[in-house]
Amino acid sequence: MGPIHDVRTLPLPSGEHVPVLGQGTWGWAQDPARRGSEKESLLLGMDLGMTLIDTAEMYGQGAAEELVGETLAARRDEAFLVTKVLPYNAGRMDTVNACERSLKRLRTDRIDLYLLHWRATVPLEETVTAFDELLRAGKIRHWGVSNFDPADLRELAEVSGGDAIAANQVLYNPARRGIEYDLLPLCQERGIPVMAYSPVEQGRLLTAPVLDAVAGRHGVSAAQVALAWVLSRAGVVAIPRAGRPEHVRDNHAALALTLTEDDHADLDAAFPPNRGPVPLEML
């Protein structure tokens, strides 16, 4: 086992702490030529304290979960594993069965945080009932949601057991600030961590001149600026994807970057916050 580097943490509603910087796996296990690099990246991130690993049954139709399970087989207890159930698998028994399949692919006996990937037509009561059964069986340790807007969260709060929500995973980065108007304050008020996916907009943000300018002032990369910006928000966890070890090191270095008031002003000028509610964006 490599050296553990301190990564700032934030509490889940249960009081358990998770790293504010984790590792995403969207798009992994698609190219056999990248498999070795992806596994190496995952293990390096673990060594650096980025022990929150995010995946989903949807990613590669289970292939990403399999890669994670294979890679972490000897280090399962160090990881905080997050995976997601697809909305068409979100019925009561379907959720239980989907969880069993994910457990098998992940080579583990429990999932640390199990999320509903997005809302569809299955009543929330059914999914929450299944989550509660999985909790009581020890198959999952916490449950949450993904791509829920304020109305969804308010509806969930009315469901019996819905107050056990542990996180909401949504799209958030400097160019996608809609959640700041209403969703992020609601989650902060309720103590529900927001997990920011695509914190660098799947790389597209990195060509923004303002990120280069801020990065130049600090002698860092544009990706570090975007990540530091996301991590400056209270109650937010970032889960960037990195398929190469050097990319993992670059992401980790964002933890040491503190943006100045001038930096924030420049970023706000380039990416103005929304002045009213906007529909929740998804990628």
Side-chain angles (χ1 to χ4, degrees):
M1 189 175 117
I4 292 295
H5 294 239
D6 286 338
V7 173
R8 187 161 52 86
T9 63
L10 64 77
L12 299 175
S14 68
E16 181 173 344
H17 280 67
V18 297
V20 296
L21 185 61
Q23 303 183 76
T25 62
W26 177 82
W28 279 28
Q30 305 294 291
D31 180 354
R34 294 203 303 257
R35 192 174 186 86
S37 179
E38 288 165 350
K39 294 176 75 170
E40 187 183 350
S41 298
L42 197 62
L43 292 172
L44 173 61
M46 292 283 291
D47 290 344
L48 294 173
M50 295 155 60
T51 52
L52 186 152
I53 312 299
D54 178 82
T55 190
E57 67 171 354
M58 184 182 83
Y59 301 166
Q61 298 175 311
E65 286 183 330
E66 288 174 350
L67 187 149
V68 169
E70 186 182 311
T71 307
L72 296 184
R75 299 180 64 173
R76 168 64 186 95
D77 292 347
E78 297 170 52
F80 186 92
L81 278 184
V82 183
T83 194
K84 311 177 196 76
V85 58
L86 281 161
Y88 53 75
N89 285 336
R92 182 172 175 178
M93 283 313 302
D94 290 338
T95 299
V96 171
N97 292 335
C99 182
E100 292 288 359
R101 292 192 296 271
S102 286
L103 287 168
K104 189 172 182 180
R105 288 189 292 262
L106 288 163
R107 302 189 186 187
T108 185
D109 60 352
R110 80 275 184 205
I111 290 161
D112 296 300
L113 176 61
Y114 198 35
L115 306 178
L116 173 60
H117 210 147
W118 66 88
R119 281 202 72 179
T121 56
V122 174
L124 289 176
E125 290 84 355
E126 279 197 47
T127 311
V128 171
T129 298
F131 283 159
D132 188 51
E133 289 176 13
L134 289 165
L135 278 172
R136 285 186 279 112
K139 301 291 178 69
I140 65 175
R141 299 181 52 246
H142 308 86
W143 66 261
V145 296
S146 181
N147 299 302
F148 268 44
D149 65 17
D152 294 327
L153 287 180
R154 291 190 183 98
E155 188 179 331
L156 178 63
E158 298 299 316
V159 172
S160 176
D163 56 352
I165 176 179
N168 185 16
Q169 185 177 127
V170 295
L171 175 63
Y172 185 46
N173 61 52
R176 307 272 196 164
R177 300 184 62 170
I179 70 165
E180 292 176 8
Y181 185 79
D182 47 10
L183 181 62
L184 182 56
L186 177 64
C187 289
Q188 289 168 334
E189 176 192 321
R190 296 188 178 180
I192 302 168
V194 166
M195 300 180 73
Y197 73 79
S198 298
V200 296
E201 190 78 1
Q202 297 174 352
R204 290 185 291 275
L205 256 182
L206 304 184
T207 57
V210 66
L211 288 181
D212 271 340
V214 174
R217 292 204 284 260
H218 292 274
V220 299
S221 70
Q224 285 176 43
V225 173
L227 281 174
W229 183 92
V230 170
L231 293 172
S232 71
R233 271 45 188 176
V236 175
V237 171
I239 45 169
R241 174 186 61 177
R244 299 188 315 279
E246 59 270 26
H247 192 176
V248 175
R249 291 189 187 280
D250 191 65
N251 287 345
H252 180 263
L255 291 161
L257 175 60
T258 302
L259 299 176
T260 66
E261 287 185 19
D262 286 346
D263 296 334
H264 279 288
D266 288 350
L267 288 160
D268 284 347
F271 302 110
N274 296 89
R275 297 185 177 277
V278 294
L280 185 68
E281 296 179 287
M282 292 174 60
L283 277 180

